[in-house]
Each structure stands twice: as C-alpha cells, then as structure tokens.
C-alpha cells in the first residue's frame, strides 16, 4: 500500500493532535487560543485535501479542462474559517477582560485568586 | 405565501430581529422586539407542529435549490417537538427578561444582550430544523458563540473564566463534529442528512465511518454535557445572568441531545449505532455515573444555581440512559424527559432569577426565612423541585416512570435502583433549600425583602403550571413522544444492513 501517498492526512492528524495537546496542556490562556487555532487549521487542511481530484484543475470553466477539483469543500472551509476567526476574536476578547479583572492570563494564578472567595 | 415559508421564517425572524435590537440601541425597545419575535416564533412552531402532526414531514428547499444540492429544512414530528420546546422556553424567558436584565446588566449593554439572545435562539431553532449536516455546524456555532458572550455578561468576574472555559470546550466539540462530517463527506459525497443515510450502507463497515461516528458523537456529547465532558456546565450556569441560565438550561443541552438522536437514528441508524458500534456500552455506564455523581455533588453545593446545574448533569444522565436502552420505550422516555426537564429547570431557574433580583445572591444560607417574604417565588421553586424529584402529578414523574419502564423492559435492575436512588438524593438537595427558606427564622438584621414583581412571577408560574398540567394530562406529550420514537425506530432499523467488519 502506498502509505506515503496519503502524507497530507498524516500532516493533518499530526497538527490536530498538536493543537489539541496545546489546548489541554498549556496554562496560558493566549497559548490555549493558539492551540485551538492549530487544531481548527488541521480541519481546514483535511477538507482541502479531500477536495483534490488527481489531474484535476482549478474549478474554473476552461476550454481545455475536463477534470476539476471539487470546489464544495473549499466553500465549506471558507465558512469554517470565518467561524474560526469569530471564535478567536471572542476568545481573545475574553482574555483581555480576564486580564483586566485578574491581572494575569495564567490559569493557575486565576484559580488561586478565586479560591478563597 | 407566508404559510409556505414558515420553516424559513422560523430561523430568519430571530436572525433579522437581532441586528434590529442592536440598531434600536435602547434596552426597553430591544426587549419589545425580542419578545415580539420570540412569541411569533412560538406561534410558527405551533403551526408547524400542527401541520406535521399526522406524521408527514415538511420539506423546505432554501432558495428553491432542491436537495441534496441545496440546504433542506426538514420538519418532521421530532423536529417540530423540539422546536416547540425551544420556542416556548424562549418566549417565556424573553417575557420574563426585562426586570431581571435591568437589574443585572449595564444599561449600555442591554440592547447587545437581546441581540445575543435572539442570535442564540435563531441558532438553536436552526440546528433543530435543518436537514443539512454542515448547516447544522454553522448554526451550532451561531448559537454557541452568542452563548459564550451571554455567559460572560454575568456580574461576577468568574463569569469571564466560565465563558472562556465554555468557549474552549465548546469549540473542541464543534470541531470534532465538523471532522466527523468531513469524513462522512469523503465517503458519501453529500452533506444532506437523508442522502448520507441512504449512501452509508455500502461503506458502513469501513474504519472511516467508525471514526466519523466517534468524532460526531464525542463532539455532540461535549455540547450536551455528557458526564465526564460536563466540566464547562456548572460554572457557565452558576455565573451567567439569571435569564441566560434559565434559557440555556432549558434549551441548549436539549438541542445538542436532539442532534445526537438525529445522527444516531436518522443518519447512522439504530442498527449501526448499537449492533455494530455498541455505543450503548459506553453511553450507559457514563450516563449512570453522570446521574449519580451529578446528584451527589449537587447536595454539597452552597450556591443555588450551582446546585441546579449539577442536577442538570444528572438529568442529562437520565436522558442518555433512555437513549441507551435501545428500545421504543427508552427513546420515548428520553424525549419525554427532554421536554419535561426543560419545563422544570426553566421554572426553577426563573424562580432563582426572582430571588437574585430581590436578594442579590444565590447562596443557600442567605435564604433563611425568605418564604415569608416571597411566598409565590418559593412556592414556584417548591413545585419545580417536586417535579425535579419526580413526585406524582408533576411532569417529572411521567418521564421517570417511562424511564423505569424502559429499563425494566431490558431487565436492568441496577439501573432501576440507580434512578430511584438518585431521585432520593434529589429529595435531599431540594429539601435543603426548603428547610432554609421555610423553617429557619429570618435574621433580625436582614434587610426587608419584597415579593418579586408580577412581570417575573407570571412567566415563572406559567412554567410551573405547565409542569403540573403535563404531569396530570399526559396524553399529549406521551402520545407524541411515543409516535416519534416509533417513527425513528421504523426508519432506523432497516436502513443499514449489518455487515461484518472487513
């Protein structure tokens, strides 16, 4: 089996797990958002990879083209990117507010401040 | 003309109302718009349920692009049933919101608050009505993003960290879901749920489908706060504004559960889920653990909202036990509890909101003797609590009765014991509040407290009376839930032939 032929899926799942690990393991709220972004980007790559049709051209109607890549996943991922941007913006806005309220963006320090209350 | 476009209007109305609230830029005007929209949506959802009551599904092709290419809005009895719950809770909560929001949210932020509420409502209704797997993701994110912002509007600074935590876990859940949908699209080349279901049979044995199933169910399980993925829920419910807590507790997790039922029965099929993937081996122990742990932890909470939030984790456990029972009775019980739990938690959190308005706190110890000052609010809380416990003649009894029937049908005695035991634990945590509020003397130095205003009491009592009504007149909900469950089993059983994995 030509397992190297699917290298982009290896990249996708490597990125996915990297991002997921960063979200889980990091205590810094900004770094968690970065991890979340890596995690979401891997999904964008997953969709774009599946859209590729071998020997297909860009999905624009040309006189000499007969085989086209599937444009639908690209469109879906445009939507997902917008959603990802919105999530990142909201997440960072929350981090700013948290920094104002607590004076820190480290999870354990925030936790310590709330413990006595 | 309007009658033909009802399925679209259901989502479009709140979507259009949201920016209108923002443009009006006045708290009261925005509230009027939001309330009007919420009640219109309720009227539409009742009309839709009436149209599909016979069992024929209603299809609406958006922009007249025919499925499976275009986005298809499907109203069958299951969707109409959940739409009714969401719209009814939305309408009641919105009517209740004005005084509570005026007390808890800065005046400048009030138009934004109603904008977010309408966006959230639009998203939740959209998830329920859509027949397109990717459209579901978009609407899921619309409702989720507005929910994160709504939670962060709570007065306590811990609302911010709660919203952040919810954002991280919710986004992971949604991304898992979209990975699963992507894998299904690779195999079937379609995003329409019915179309996916019809093309899934030849590939049902492949690892890709198994992986897709795992991603989608885990993603949705995060959203519906299945134990042990519920960690975002207690903080989000405890620190969000009271109106938001009532709305979320009664709708958001229910809609996620609906999406899960939809995927299990209408897309993957019951045979694939249970006979091939054996999802029940994972769901049942976790659901049972959730019901037990949620109930026990609720007993030890000092905050009223937090206590009810942990009780929600337990109630979600009951619904999942019903789902995992793999029978028509079990699914009926899950659907019944979905409806009844929305009613009881809605009523309870609205009563808590009235307490917050007058007392400014949700600590149970601060409630001593409050029943004399706020008799109607506390009476509403008591009836809601009785329904939560499952006392006969309340809605909670009906769903627990069917749950026990379903578990007995399968001969699962330990689960019967568990349901009864956790109900007894519910007696303990509801009693703690009643004891403090009714049997302790109000401290002499406590500031005088008046009964909550009528604009809060009326919506609360509307839900309380609904709890009693659906506890006594069970024909409507039980009949409908039973028919839906039979429908789903009819559609799901034969759809996927069982193949041995290669």
């Amino acid at each position: 089996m030509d397992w190297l032929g699917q290298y982009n899926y290896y990249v996708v799942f490597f990125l996915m797990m990297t991002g997921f690990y960063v979200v889980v393991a990091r205590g810094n709220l900004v770094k968690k958002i970065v991890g979340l972004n890596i995690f979401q980007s891997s999904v964008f790559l997953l969709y774009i990879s599946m859209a590729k049709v071998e020997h297909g051209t860009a999905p624009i109607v040309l006189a000499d083209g007969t085989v086209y890549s599937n444009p639908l996943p690209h469109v879906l991922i445009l939507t997902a990117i917008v959603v990802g941007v919105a999530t990142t913006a909201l997440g960072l806005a929350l981090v700013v507010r948290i920094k104002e309220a607590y004076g820190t963006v480290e999870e354990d320090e925030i936790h310590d401040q709330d413990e006595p209350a | 003309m309007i009658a033909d476009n009802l399925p679209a209007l259901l989502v479009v109305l709140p979507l259009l109302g949201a920016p209108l609230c923002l443009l009006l830029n006045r708290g009261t005007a925005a509230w009027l718009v939001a309330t009007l929209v919420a009640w219109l949506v309720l009227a539409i959802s009742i009309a839709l349920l009436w149209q599909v009551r016979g069992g024929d599904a209603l299809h609406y092709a958006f922009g007249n692009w025919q499925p499976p290419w275009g986005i298809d809005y499907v109203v069958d009895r299951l969707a109409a049933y959940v739409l009714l719950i969401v719209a009814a809770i939305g309408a009641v909560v919105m009517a209740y919101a004005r005084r509570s929001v005026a007390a808890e949210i800065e005046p400048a932020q009030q138009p934004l608050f109603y904008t977010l509420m309408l966006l959230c409502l639009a998203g939740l209704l959209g998830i329920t009505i859509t027949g397109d797997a990717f459209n579901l993701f978009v609407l899921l994110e619309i409702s989720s993003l507005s929910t994160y912002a709504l939670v962060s509007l709570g007065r306590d600074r811990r609302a911010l960290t709660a919203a952040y935590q919810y954002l991280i876990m919710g986004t992971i859940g949604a991304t898992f879901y979209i990975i699963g949908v992507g894998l299904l699209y690779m195999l079937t080349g379609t995003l329409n749920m019915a179309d996916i279901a019809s093309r899934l049979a030849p590939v049902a044995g492949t690892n890709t489908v198994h992986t897709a199933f795992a991603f989608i169910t885990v993603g949705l399980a995060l959203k519906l706060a299945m134990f042990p993925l519920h960690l975002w829920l207690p903080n989000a419910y405890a620190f969000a504004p009271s109106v938001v807590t009532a709305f979320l507790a009664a709708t958001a997790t229910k809609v996620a559960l609906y999406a899960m039922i939809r995927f299990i029965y209408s897309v993957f099929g019951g045979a694939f889920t249970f006979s091939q993937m054996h999802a029940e081996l994972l769901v049942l122990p976790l659901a049972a653990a959730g019901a037990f742990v949620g109930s026990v932890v609720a007993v030890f909470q000092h905050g009223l909202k937090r206590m009810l939030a942990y009780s929600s984790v337990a109630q979600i456990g009951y619904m999942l036990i019903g789902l995992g029972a793999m029978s028509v009775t079990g699914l009926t019980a899950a659907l019944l509890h979905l409806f009844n739990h929305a009613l009881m938690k809605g009523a309870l959190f609205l009563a808590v909101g009235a307490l917050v308005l007058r007392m400014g706190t949700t600590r149970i110890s601060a409630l001593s003797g409050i029943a004399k000052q706020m008799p109607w609010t506390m009476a509403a809380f008591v009836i809601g609590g009785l329904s939560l416990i499952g006392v006969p003649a309340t809605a909670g009894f009906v769903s627990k009765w069917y749950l026990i029937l379903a578990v007995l049908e399968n001969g699962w005695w330990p689960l019967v014991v568990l349901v009864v035991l956790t109900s007894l634990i519910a007696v303990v945590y509801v009693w703690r509040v009643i004891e403090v509020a009714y049997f302790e003397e109000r401290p002499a130095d406590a500031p005088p407290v008046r009964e909550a205003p009528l604009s809060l009491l009326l919506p609360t009592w509307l839900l309380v009376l609904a709890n009693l009504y659906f506890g006594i007149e069970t024909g409507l909900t039980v009949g409908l839930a039973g028919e839906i469950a039979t429908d789903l089993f009819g559609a799901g059983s034969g759809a996927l032939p069982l193949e041995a994995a290669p």
Side-chain angles (χ1 to χ4, degrees), chain B residues 43-55 80:
Chain B
I44 294 175
S45 67
I46 291 172
L48 285 177
L49 183 61
W50 184 253
Q51 282 183 34
V52 298
R53 70 190 185 285

Side-chain angles (χ1 to χ4, degrees), chain B residues 181-224:
Chain B
V181 170
L183 294 174
L184 283 184
Y185 179 75
M186 281 167 88
L187 286 170
T188 59
T190 175
L191 290 166
N192 184 292
M193 288 182 196
D195 207 26
I196 293 177
S198 68
R199 285 161 196 268
L200 215 50
V203 290
T206 60
N207 280 336
T208 315
V209 175
H210 295 174
T211 317
F213 178 79
F215 270 116
I216 288 178
T217 42
V218 172
L220 291 175
L222 254 167
K223 281 283 175 193
L224 67 83

Side-chain angles (χ1 to χ4, degrees), chain A residues 9 13 16-17 20 23-24 28-33 36 39-40 42-43 46-47 50 70 72-73 75-77 79-80 83 86-87 90-92 94-95 97-98 101-102 107 110 113-114 117, chain B residues 109 132 134 137-138 141 144-146 148-149 152-154 156-165 167-169 171-173 175-183 185-186 189-191 211 215:
Chain A
Y9 292 104
F13 279 93
M16 197 181 282
M17 290 306 123
F20 196 51
V23 176
V24 176
N28 185 306
L29 300 187
V30 179
K31 287 182 184 166
K32 271 183 190 287
I33 301 267
L36 204 60
F39 183 52
Q40 289 181 315
S42 75
V43 182
L46 174 73
Y47 271 73
M50 75 170 89
N70 184 354
L72 184 66
V75 181
L76 297 179
I77 273 337
T79 315
V83 170
T87 312
L90 182 59
L92 289 176
L94 282 174
V95 173
R97 291 274 310 277
I98 289 173
Y102 289 88
E107 207 170 34
I110 293 168
Q113 285 188 35
D114 272 338
Chain B
Q109 287 179 337
D132 186 281
F134 196 85
F137 164 74
V138 176
E141 285 294 29
S144 302
L145 285 168
S146 44
Y148 310 146
S152 76
L153 287 173
D156 196 299
R157 66 177 179 177
R158 277 172 288 179
L160 295 172
T161 44
Y164 181 86
Q165 200 183 13
L167 179 132
I168 296 287
M169 296 192 76
T171 307
I172 291 175
T175 312
F176 267 40
Y177 171 79
I178 199 65
I179 294 169
V181 170
L183 294 174
Y185 179 75
M186 281 167 88
T190 175
L191 290 166
T211 317
F215 270 116

Side-chain angles (χ1 to χ4, degrees), chain B residues 54-340:
Chain B
D56 296 324
L58 204 65
H59 286 265
Y60 182 87
F62 240 91
N64 215 10
W65 293 92
Q66 290 306 314
W69 299 281
I71 290 170
D72 187 22
Y73 273 19
V74 186
V75 191
D76 56 4
R77 282 192 284 200
L78 173 60
Y81 176 77
V82 179
L83 285 176
L84 179 69
I85 300 170
V86 176
I89 296 290
V92 171
V93 166
M94 220 63 102
Y96 171 100
R98 195 175 67 90
R99 285 294 292 269
S100 183
V101 168
E104 291 186 36
I105 312 269
E106 302 281 321
Q109 287 179 337
Q110 285 174 18
L112 282 169
F113 176 87
Y114 292 112
T115 308
L116 289 170
M117 283 292 275
L118 282 183
L119 279 178
C120 188
L121 183 64
L124 292 174
L125 292 167
I127 294 171
T128 314
I129 202 173
T130 188
D132 186 281
F134 196 85
N135 195 232
L136 194 151
F137 164 74
V138 176
L139 290 157
L140 184 70
E141 285 294 29
I142 290 177
S143 69
S144 302
L145 285 168
S146 44
T147 308
Y148 310 146
L150 282 171
V151 170
S152 76
L153 287 173
R155 280 179 303 179
D156 196 299
R157 66 177 179 177
R158 277 172 288 179
L160 295 172
T161 44
Y164 181 86
Q165 200 183 13
Y166 189 12
L167 179 132
I168 296 287
M169 296 192 76
T171 307
I172 291 175
T175 312
F176 267 40
Y177 171 79
I178 199 65
I179 294 169
V181 170
L183 294 174
L184 283 184
Y185 179 75
M186 281 167 88
L187 286 170
T188 59
T190 175
L191 290 166
N192 184 292
M193 288 182 196
D195 207 26
I196 293 177
S198 68
R199 285 161 196 268
L200 215 50
V203 290
T206 60
N207 280 336
T208 315
V209 175
H210 295 174
T211 317
F213 178 79
F215 270 116
I216 288 178
T217 42
V218 172
L220 291 175
L222 254 167
K223 281 283 175 193
L224 67 83
M226 177 168 118
F227 180 87
L229 304 173
H230 67 282
L231 295 171
W232 56 267
L233 186 141
N235 278 335
Y237 283 14
F239 299 119
S242 309
V243 175
V244 177
T245 311
F247 183 61
L248 288 185
T251 56
T253 47
K254 312 291 174 295
V255 168
L257 184 70
Y258 159 84
M260 191 149 184
I261 293 175
R262 184 57 95 197
F263 264 90
I264 287 180
Y265 284 102
S266 303
V267 177
F268 289 107
F272 173 81
T273 309
F274 298 118
S275 307
Q276 198 174 337
M277 295 298 290
H278 291 290
E280 77 278 9
L281 295 181
L282 188 67
V283 169
L284 276 176
L286 290 180
F292 185 72
V293 173
S295 302
V296 171
V297 176
V299 175
F300 296 101
Q301 296 306 313
H302 301 295
L304 206 47
K305 276 182 169 178
R306 236 182 136 74
M307 180 191 94
L308 292 176
Y310 274 106
S311 142
S312 277
V313 175
Q315 308 293 321
I316 290 162
Y318 293 149
M319 293 173 219
L320 288 171
I321 290 176
L323 186 63
M326 305 176 290
S327 61
V328 174
T329 326
L331 196 56
T332 309
L335 290 170
L336 272 176
H337 204 51
L338 200 142
F339 188 91
N340 293 339

Side-chain angles (χ1 to χ4, degrees), chain A residues 40-107:
Chain A
Q40 289 181 315
S41 303
S42 75
V43 182
F44 306 160
L45 288 178
L46 174 73
Y47 271 73
I48 301 301
S49 300
M50 75 170 89
K52 175 69 183 158
V53 174
E54 258 179 66
H55 311 299
T57 64
I60 303 163
V61 178
L62 298 170
D64 53 343
T66 48
V67 183
Y68 298 105
S69 282
N70 184 354
L72 184 66
H74 297 95
V75 181
L76 297 179
I77 273 337
L78 268 181
T79 315
I81 289 172
V82 174
V83 170
V85 169
T87 312
T88 310
L90 182 59
L92 289 176
L94 282 174
V95 173
V96 171
R97 291 274 310 277
I98 289 173
K99 169 83 176 167
E100 282 169 9
Y102 289 88
T104 175
V105 292
E106 294 293 333
E107 207 170 34

